[in-house]
Each structure stands twice: as structure tokens, then as C-alpha cells.
Amino acid sequence: MTRIINRQPSRYGRLALGFLPFVILLLVYIVASDARLAENSADKLLPSFQSFADAVVRMGFEPSKRTGEYLLLNDTLSSLQRLMMGVGLSAFIGLVIGVGNGMVPYMRSPLSPLVTAISLIPPMAILPILFIIFGLGELSKVVLIVIGICPIIIRDIQLRTDDLPPEQLIKAQTLGGSSWQIIVRVVLPQIMPRLIEAVRLTLGSAWLFLIAAEAIAATDGLGYRIFLVRRYMAMDVILPYVLWITTLAFAMDWSLKRVSILLFPWYHGTQGGGHD
Amino acid sequence: MTKSEKPIIQIKNLWKEYGDNVVLERINLDVYEGEFVSIVGASGCGKTTFLNLMLGTEQPSRGSILLDEAPLDPEPSTERGIVFQKYSVFPHMTALENVMLGEEFSKTSMSSVAMGRLIGRAKEDARENAMAILEQVGLSQAANKYPSELSGGMQQRLAIAQALIKKPRILLLDEPFGALDPGIRKDMHQLIGQLWQEQKLTVFMITHDLSEGFLLGSRLWVFDKTRQDSHAPERFGAHITFDIPLSTGKSGEEELERLKATELDVA
């Protein structure tokens, strides 16, 4: 009898086992939903799949009766725009300051304590300040995402830069590289795949800050919509929206991983494919 | 006096200490162009500190090291090539790019100063030079492979090629073959011996392997502490206790025996 730590499911077995929890969750939902609807056909807490389908068609494929817009599309575009700006800006600042701190002691000494202090501020606590300073428009939402995830990216990139073997930097100096040439040719290309990893890991927090900001002050966006229809207990809209946000987040994570494998084969080659 | 008769490296009363801890003391040596110095000694005898002083990553506490009669730059520079035991090639570049990098770090081309890259004609020249050197170390087949696709021995060949493209005045080797299998190590000995003779290199090689030191070197230095204070072992540093001229090519068996006869404690 082989030990359980040595027993491997087959390829199809793995696939089936992976789906199993989802199937169970779905069955539990259907049973619970049916039970509640049998008791009260107007129950809103666990809607039937028919009402989900109706809500999806209403939100996604019919123009809104009030404004003539496709709400789901509109919300998605607004949210994605804010998220991309926030994450893109954070990644850029994170790369510049992280690599700078990692490579230049005279930059690290003044900046590193500041970054640590900022990273300890709970971003949601200063959201009111952001609304006061930047107004209720797009800027304050983007700034919230940046304040929330940028310090994490900076600190991660700084650590990754420190982790580069000192032998490499010495070798680059004996090859005649200036500080700038070494940063551009030796450090940055090796940090880029790690930046993508840092972005993937902080995407979840970025969504959190985006939805929080939209819930409080916005006129469109996925988070705005969820919190709006909550007033009518419209679970038939909320749940598909949550599913849609999850799908978007998964798609972003997956594409970032593919981009990294495509652009930095040397990085993933040495990691033995263990980086997912 | 012709230039070749002047020492390429002069070490004058070199000391290195960290606070009260003396690591190296009283080192006085001249090295001439074309010499191959093997450096051996027990662990903790300051071999690595000595290499760092030669490299410029550490500075002497007293005394000085002169290269071509001028003090060494206080930071690593192109006069001193280096091959470490590992991590001295760049994992994100192919073998060819690794070797070209030395030429792409130019101080005269605009694109190089701004982006660390050459363009056009200059890039083609750099590529040709790099290919020629890869050919010399037997890596022309692997020019477009990344270091992770190369074996340990091939990675060290690449590290040597990379250091040679800048034509350094001295080449420093820090246990370059320590991590390799014995068979591959033998090939590497052949390669480095051949490069040394063909290109008239001046080489300093730190090694743990005494027979390797004898085989390759034209001169062998033994680092050791001669003065001991058992109550305060940090009070005295190591210096060079033996400076043995070798006739290269021989296995050095006799000399090894002679050295062992002097009851020298070399790990």
C-alpha cells in the first residue's frame, strides 16, 4: 500500500477533482434556492437561475431605459479605466523608486523610511482626505489605488533588486558599465518579470480599493452598481456582477502570466515552471 | 628599462584590518606581466579579502597596490577582469549578448551612454568580436542559448569569454572551477592554460585545490598566519608564507611533496 503522500491523481482525475468543489457549491445553491422559493416565490435572497438570466440580459444586452446606455459595458469600461490607471501608475512608480532604492544608497537613505511609513497608513482611513483634496472625480479613485498598492510594489521591487547577486554587479563594473548603463542593461531587465509578479499579487488589493472608492462616491462602475442595487436587495444583479469581476480579475492575472512567459523566457526557464 | 621589466602589480606593505581584527599584514610583492599566480591557503586566511582588494570592492587599511605604477581605482574597473565561482554571467542574456555587453558599455557612443546598447555598424563589430571570443572558448554553438540552458562548465567558459572581451590588464579568478565535476575541470584547466599562453594574460587564481594551483600557476602563493596568539586570534593577520616559482606544465608532484615536507597546513 503506497503512502497517501505518494499517490497522484491522473490527469483527468485532477481535472475532475478541481471541478468537484464548484459543482458541490452549485448544487448546494440550487437546493437552497429552490427551498426558499417554494416557501415564498418573491424571495430575493437566493434567486433562481431564470432571474439571473433575466438580470444579465437586462444589464448587459438591453440599453438602459433611463439613459440608453448598456450598463454592464459602461460600468466595466469605467472600472477598468480606473483600475488600469491606478495599477499602471503604481507599477511605474514602484519600478522607478524600488530599483532606485535598491541600487543607489543615497536615494535609499532618505526614501526608504518614508516608503515604510506610508505603507503602514491604512489607505481607507485617508479616503476622506483624498475626496477633499482631489474631489469626487476619477483622480481620487486612482490615487486611492496608488496609495494602497504602490508602497507594496516599491518594497517588493527594492527587495528583489537587493537580491541580485553582488557578483553580477561587480562583473558589470569590470566590463566598464556606468551606474546608469548597469541599471538599464543588467538590473531593469531582470526586475521586469518580478514587477509583473508584484502586480499580479497586488491586483486583488487594487480591486478592493477600486470597489470601495466606487461604493462611496461614483456615478458608474462595477462597485458603484453593486452598492446601488443593494438597496433593492437585487441579488439577481449583484451575484452576476461579482462573477463578472472575478472573471475579469482572473483574465488579467492569466494574461500577465502569459505576457511574462512570452517576454522573459529565461526567467521562467530557470524557475522550472513553478511560477504560477 | 623596457616596460615588460617593470612589475605590472606592486604590492607595498599591504595591511587590511576590520577594527581590531587584522586579516592581512605585511604583504610586499611584485608581479610581472604574463605571470600566473595561484593563491592557496586555509579558509579564513584572507584570500578572498586579498581578491577584493585587487578588485577594488575593498580598500587597504595601510599600504597600497599599484597597477602599472599607479594606485588602483577604488572601485571595479575594466583593467581587472573577474570570474567568480558562480553568478558572474547574466541570466537574462544569451551567451552572445553576455559577451557583447562589455563592448556595448561604451563611453563614446550616444546610444550606449543613454541605453547601454550599440547600434548599426558598431553593433555588428561587437557581435563579430564576441563571436570570435566565443569560438576561442568553444562556445560558438551555444551563442544563442541562455545561461540556464548551459552546463556549469559552459557557464564558466562564458564567464571567461565575457571577461576577456575587455582585454583586462589582469584577470582575477575566484575559485573558478570549484563547483565543477573533475572531468570538466580538466577541460577547463586546458582552456585557461591555453588562453593564458596565447594572450599573454596576467592571472591571479584563488583555489582550494593545491594540485590545480601547481598545475596552472607559474608562481604559487600560500596565505597563512605565522604569528598566533591563542587568547586573541584576531590580533595577527595572514601574510604570504611561501612564494614559490613553478615551472608550468608539470604536475608539480615533487614540489607538492617538498611543500608537504615542510609540514605546511593547507586545507
Side-chain angles (χ1 to χ4, degrees):
Chain A
M1 187 74 184
T2 39
R3 292 175 183 84
I4 190 145
I5 55 172
N6 291 327
R7 277 193 262 161
Q8 301 276 359
S10 70
R11 199 161 147 259
Y12 293 108
R14 231 174 12 246
L15 210 64
L17 286 173
F19 273 113
L20 188 64
F22 293 102
V23 173
I24 293 176
L25 279 176
L26 203 64
L27 285 177
V28 168
Y29 182 90
I30 291 173
V31 170
S33 165
D34 277 354
R36 285 185 73 98
L37 288 171
E39 196 103 326
N40 167 17
S41 59
D43 178 65
K44 299 188 104 176
L45 196 61
L46 301 178
S48 68
F49 281 87
Q50 186 52 51
S51 17
F52 283 141
D54 292 344
V56 169
V57 169
R58 195 172 68 245
M59 302 304 292
F61 301 98
E62 288 170 4
S64 153
K65 291 193 183 75
R66 198 165 59 84
T67 60
E69 290 163 337
Y70 291 90
L71 289 177
L72 180 65
L73 177 72
N74 236 25
D75 290 339
T76 305
L77 290 180
S78 310
S79 286
L80 282 184
Q81 192 189 358
R82 292 165 190 151
L83 190 79
M84 299 282 188
M85 280 172 68
V87 171
L89 209 59
S90 302
F92 179 73
I93 299 173
L95 186 68
V96 172
I97 299 187
V99 168
N101 279 2
M103 291 297 293
V104 186
Y106 269 96
M107 184 165 166
R108 176 198 295 240
S109 299
L111 281 187
S112 196
L114 179 69
V115 171
T116 309
I118 292 177
S119 74
L120 293 174
I121 301 172
M124 293 308 294
I126 55 167
L127 185 56
I129 305 177
L130 299 183
F131 282 143
I132 293 167
I133 299 177
F134 300 110
L136 298 177
E138 298 300 287
L139 189 58
S140 54
K141 299 174 192 69
V142 172
V143 172
L144 179 71
I145 296 176
V146 172
I147 288 183
I149 67 172
C150 196
I152 305 175
I153 297 183
I154 292 178
R155 295 177 82 184
D156 189 48
I157 293 302
Q158 182 176 330
L159 288 175
R160 304 301 192 111
T161 308
D162 285 341
D163 279 347
L164 290 178
E167 287 91 340
Q168 277 189 22
L169 301 180
I170 294 174
K171 180 97 184 198
Q173 293 178 63
T174 65
L175 297 179
S178 66
S179 300
W180 173 247
Q181 287 171 326
I182 292 173
I183 287 175
V184 173
R185 290 300 309 273
V186 176
V187 180
L188 274 184
Q190 294 195 68
I191 291 301
M192 284 311 287
R194 293 163 169 106
L195 178 70
I196 291 185
E197 277 179 357
V199 166
R200 285 174 65 195
L201 287 177
T202 48
L203 261 185
S205 313
W207 275 104
L208 166 75
F209 295 125
L210 173 72
I211 289 172
E214 286 180 344
I216 294 169
T219 51
D220 57 4
L222 297 166
Y224 161 78
R225 192 69 53 197
I226 291 178
F227 277 79
L228 180 73
V229 301
R230 177 192 63 99
R231 296 172 194 167
Y232 319 113
M233 259 182 75
M235 287 292 265
D236 55 341
V237 174
I238 296 177
L239 284 176
Y241 259 66
V242 172
L243 202 66
W244 176 234
I245 292 174
T246 312
T247 311
L248 288 175
F250 178 82
M252 283 184 197
D253 185 70
W254 186 85
S255 354
L256 282 173
K257 185 178 153 194
R258 300 312 303 178
V259 166
S260 182
I261 291 175
L262 205 69
L263 294 183
F264 313 109
W266 54 271
Y267 184 70
H268 297 272
T270 54
Q271 306 290 332
H275 266 246
D276 42 340
Chain B
M1 230 184 188
T2 61
K3 198 178 178 208
S4 62
E5 284 165 330
K6 286 179 187 166
I8 184 167
I9 288 282
Q10 290 167 281
I11 302 170
K12 294 187 166 165
N13 192 31
L14 182 73
W15 290 68
K16 179 68 189 175
E17 46 209 53
Y18 301 99
D20 281 340
N21 187 1
V22 182
V23 181
L24 295 171
E25 59 179 38
R26 296 177 293 137
I27 297 180
N28 282 292
L29 288 160
D30 287 346
V31 176
Y32 292 87
E33 196 159 0
E35 286 196 281
F36 192 126
V37 182
S38 298
I39 299 171
V40 297
S43 319
C45 259
K47 296 186 306 252
T48 303
T49 306
F50 178 76
L51 187 94
N52 288 341
L53 291 170
M54 294 285 289
L55 249 181
T57 54
E58 292 190 60
Q59 311 310 321
S61 310
R62 275 182 264 171
S64 56
I65 304 177
L66 305 182
L67 171 71
D68 293 325
E69 302 185 311
L72 280 176
D73 264 351
E75 60 176 358
S77 63
T78 50
E79 287 109 42
R80 292 157 282 172
I82 175 81
V83 176
F84 292 104
Q85 187 169 4
K86 47 186 175 177
Y87 299 130
S88 58
V89 294
F90 303 113
H92 60 293
M93 298 180 185
T94 62
L96 180 64
E97 287 168 335
N98 259 291
V99 181
M100 281 170 68
L101 188 66
E103 299 230 330
E104 294 209 272
F105 282 160
S106 129
K107 299 221 162 17
T108 47
S109 134
M110 269 304 289
S111 68
S112 173
V113 170
M115 296 304 298
R117 286 174 190 280
L118 292 172
I119 42 175
R121 181 81 213 138
K123 180 159 196 162
E124 283 313 307
D125 290 346
R127 186 191 302 277
E128 273 168 35
N129 290 346
M131 278 311 290
I133 292 182
L134 281 175
E135 178 91 50
Q136 282 175 27
V137 300
L139 279 183
S140 40
Q141 299 300 316
N144 292 317
K145 288 191 171 167
Y146 287 102
S148 61
E149 300 170 280
L150 303 179
S151 68
M154 289 163 93
Q155 287 187 22
Q156 287 309 81
R157 282 169 191 266
L158 178 58
I160 294 169
Q162 197 182 27
L164 288 180
I165 200 162
K166 290 305 258 194
K167 303 202 170 14
R169 292 289 288 148
I170 58 173
L171 181 62
L172 305 167
L173 308 174
D174 185 5
E175 295 188 31
F177 316 126
L180 303 179
D181 295 333
I184 295 177
R185 204 181 292 191
K186 225 171 148 185
D187 295 343
M188 296 299 290
H189 289 165
Q190 216 163 23
L191 173 73
I192 200 78
Q194 193 184 336
L195 289 172
W196 171 57
Q197 279 175 343
E198 282 174 7
Q199 309 204 5
K200 306 273 175 272
L201 302 170
T202 310
V203 184
F204 291 80
M205 179 180 74
I206 289 184
T207 178
H208 264 130
D209 182 350
L210 195 53
S211 58
E212 176 178 278
F214 272 108
L215 178 72
L216 292 176
S218 65
R219 191 171 173 185
L220 182 90
W221 291 353
V222 181
F223 276 66
D224 202 4
K225 295 185 179 188
T226 46
R227 298 191 287 170
Q228 292 283 355
D229 180 340
S230 53
H231 297 292
E234 75 280 359
R235 285 294 296 125
F236 297 112
H239 64 130
I240 292 173
T241 51
F242 288 88
D243 180 359
I244 308 162
L246 302 171
S247 45
T248 48
K250 292 182 189 165
S251 68
E253 289 296 327
E254 294 159 35
E255 276 155 317
L256 189 62
E257 288 306 313
R258 187 164 60 90
L259 202 62
K260 276 178 180 162
T262 63
E263 289 176 34
L264 183 73
D265 173 36
V266 274

